[in-house]
């Protein structure tokens, strides 16, 4: 780590203040690393669903850690326990730390009560990626879906999270929608909360 | 002044294989075989010129001027060559080729589904390239 030599030595790791973070990393470095992650996983699978699952698992680990870190750093060791609050936490706090901006939109599904959508016009991980036609609807946003699932599940909101391309009228590029479908128990608990 | 300065664009890999070809002018349209031949011919000429050059450290032909067209070439450090056939006396093509190189590094090399040295089939590269060429055209008309 850069500058580690100059850091003040603390006897106990817990006395050390948690780094403020917020430093930006090079987008290129990230893009190459992510590209390698996708390529590596591609060599390990023989179908697209499996690739999607592996990317999601990789994201899940990130989500679990991000939740832990941000609850401590941003929320003073408090964790959201209401459905809308945790969604807003992902939409703004998590997105800002990971992607430098708030997500474009957070909506509730029109057809199902238990579905929510986070949409992004140009998802950062997809910035340089063109999915070949023969891969169908595969979306590398599966990684981000995994992050969202990681945050939700570790906060006590089990859900199925998937990433989809949604075409927008008058635009050549589709946007990416992260679809969140909560487990039944989450909604039941939410109803009891009133 | 309806026609743009640039007629066609070629990208060839380090062994001379054509990996990208795009036609822009209505005049001088070449078919696939011709463009492949032209690409490998240019690759060899470029290599020969390096050895024939009287000045040491020559990197190859940058510009070929003919009666009816100019051919501008830009070679990246890894040996990928970008060259454009343009109107005679077209300006700023070197800059344009560098911008295209930048697009190549972004939208082709950072794409996990692209295999090195293989033909470029990346939607985002096409899209952004079209935008750059369009912008170049507008700038040219504005002059």
């Amino acid at each position: 780590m850069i500058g580690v030599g100059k850091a003040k030595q603390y006897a106990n790791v817990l006395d050390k203040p948690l780094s403020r973070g917020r430093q930006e990393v090079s987008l290129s470095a990230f893009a190459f690393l992510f590209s390698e992650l996708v390529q590596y996983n591609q060599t390990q699978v023989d179908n697209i669903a499996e690739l999607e699952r592996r990317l999601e698992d990789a994201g899940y680990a990130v989500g679990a850690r991000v939740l832990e870190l941000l609850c401590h750093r941003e929320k003073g060791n408090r964790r959201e326990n209401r459905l809308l609050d945790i969604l807003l936490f992902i939409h703004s706090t998590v997105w800002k730390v990971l992607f430098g901006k708030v997500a474009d939109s957070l909506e509730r599904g029109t057809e199902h009560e238990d579905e929510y959508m986070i949409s992004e016009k140009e998802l950062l991980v997809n910035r340089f990626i063109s999915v070949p036609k023969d891969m169908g609807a595969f979306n590398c946003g599966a990684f981000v879906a995994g992050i969202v699932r990681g945050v939700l599940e570790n906060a006590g909101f089990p859900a199925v999270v998937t990433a989809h391309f949604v075409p927008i009228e008058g635009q050549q590029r589709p946007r990416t929608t992260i679809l969140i479908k909560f487990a039944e128990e989450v909604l039941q608990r939410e109803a009891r909360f009133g | 002044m309806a026609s743009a300065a640039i007629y066609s664009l070629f990208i060839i890999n380090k062994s001379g294989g054509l990996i990208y070809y795009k036609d822009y002018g209505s005049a001088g349209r070449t078919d696939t075989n011709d463009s492949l031949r032209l690409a490998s011919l240019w690759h060899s000429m470029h290599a020969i010129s390096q050895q024939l050059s009287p000045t040491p450290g020559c990197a190859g032909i940058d510009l070929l001027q003919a009666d009816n067209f100019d051919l501008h070439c830009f070679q990246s450090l890894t040996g990928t060559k970008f060259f454009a056939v343009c109107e005679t006396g077209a300006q700023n093509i070197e800059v344009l080729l560098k911008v295209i190189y930048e697009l190549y590094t972004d939208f082709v090399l950072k794409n996990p589904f692209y295999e090195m040295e293989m033909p470029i089939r990346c939607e985002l590269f096409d899209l952004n390239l079209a935008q750059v060429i369009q912008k170049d055209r507008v700038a040219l008309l504005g002059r």
Side-chain angles (χ1 to χ4, degrees):
Chain A
M1 207 192 285
I2 299 161
V4 82
K6 275 180 256 166
K8 202 172 148 194
Q9 294 298 314
Y10 289 93
N12 186 338
V13 71
L14 293 174
D15 294 337
K16 209 171 121 186
L18 202 59
S19 90
R20 282 306 300 158
R22 290 222 188 279
Q23 296 104 335
E24 289 182 0
V25 275
S26 151
L27 177 59
S28 288
F30 170 74
F32 281 121
L33 182 65
F34 186 67
S35 169
E36 286 303 323
L37 176 77
V38 176
Q39 283 178 56
Y40 169 72
N41 280 309
Q42 240 182 324
T43 61
Q44 307 293 305
V45 301
D46 42 34
N47 62 60
I48 289 167
E50 180 79 355
L51 176 61
E52 215 156 45
R53 198 191 57 74
R54 288 189 70 118
L55 279 182
E56 206 187 304
D57 284 351
Y60 182 91
V62 176
R65 288 164 169 80
V66 156
L67 173 75
E68 204 80 59
L69 173 69
L70 294 185
C71 281
H72 184 55
R73 197 162 75 189
E74 314 279 333
K75 296 271 173 195
N77 268 338
R78 282 184 59 253
R79 168 167 71 67
E80 305 294 353
N81 57 9
R82 296 302 299 265
L83 190 98
L84 270 184
D85 291 337
I86 191 82
L87 282 171
L88 276 172
F89 171 75
I90 293 173
H91 166 268
S92 37
T93 315
V94 172
W95 232 254
K96 233 180 186 156
V97 167
L98 293 179
F99 307 123
K101 67 187 275 289
V102 173
D104 287 342
S105 73
L106 170 65
E107 295 159 85
R108 185 192 208 140
T110 43
E111 283 163 32
H112 303 280
E113 286 263 296
D114 56 350
E115 288 186 351
Y116 289 81
M117 294 169 293
I118 295 176
S119 296
E120 187 79 22
K121 226 175 112 212
E122 173 88 84
L123 199 62
L124 188 109
V125 300
N126 279 338
R127 169 98 42 106
F128 302 114
I129 296 179
S130 331
V131 180
K133 295 251 182 324
D134 61 328
M135 293 188 80
F138 173 74
N139 189 331
C140 287
F143 180 72
V144 180
I147 296 179
V148 172
R149 189 168 69 92
V151 172
L152 285 174
E153 218 160 288
N154 285 283
F157 295 82
V160 176
V161 187
T162 44
H164 307 273
F165 280 124
V166 179
I168 347 174
E169 253 177 76
Q171 291 270 342
Q172 280 168 304
R173 291 281 295 168
R175 66 177 182 185
T176 296
T177 294
I178 311 278
L179 184 69
I180 304 161
K181 192 175 171 61
F182 286 104
E184 216 172 299
E185 71 216 58
V186 174
L187 291 153
Q188 280 167 0
R189 186 182 62 205
E190 200 58 24
R192 281 203 300 278
F193 269 137
Chain B
M1 205 165 117
S3 73
I6 179 164
Y7 292 147
S8 49
L9 171 76
F10 297 76
I11 302 177
I12 54 181
N13 64 17
K14 54 172 167 273
S15 42
L18 184 66
I19 55 171
Y20 193 81
Y21 170 67
K22 189 106 185 144
D23 222 336
Y24 292 104
S26 48
R29 194 175 287 272
T30 40
D31 70 18
T32 321
N33 276 335
D34 283 343
S35 49
L36 279 168
R37 206 170 300 134
L38 180 62
S40 50
L41 189 66
W42 179 257
H43 178 74
S44 331
M45 270 177 47
H46 200 270
I48 294 168
S49 72
Q50 278 178 16
Q51 304 202 349
L52 285 182
S53 167
T55 50
C58 168
I61 313 175
D62 282 342
L63 170 63
L64 179 128
Q65 287 183 307
D67 284 347
N68 298 320
F69 68 89
D70 282 4
L71 194 156
H72 290 261
C73 179
F74 167 73
Q75 183 176 215
S76 76
L77 286 174
T78 49
T80 309
K81 281 188 267 296
F82 297 74
F83 63 95
V85 183
C86 321
E87 266 176 4
T88 47
Q91 300 288 310
N92 288 327
I93 300 295
E94 299 85 9
V95 182
L96 183 68
L97 285 175
K98 284 209 176 99
V99 173
I100 293 170
Y101 174 47
E102 223 168 276
L103 292 181
Y104 167 80
T105 55
D106 271 351
F107 297 106
V108 178
L109 297 185
K110 288 176 192 163
N111 183 0
F113 304 110
Y114 173 70
E115 227 175 297
M116 285 298 282
E117 316 292 334
M118 293 306 272
I120 299 170
R121 275 189 217 94
C122 301
E123 194 193 339
L124 276 174
F125 179 69
D126 286 335
L127 224 71
N128 284 278
L129 181 65
Q131 262 170 27
V132 164
I133 299 282
Q134 186 64 30
K135 224 186 263 170
D136 192 62
R137 253 171 225 205
V138 171
L140 195 80
L141 286 172
R143 234 181 272 144

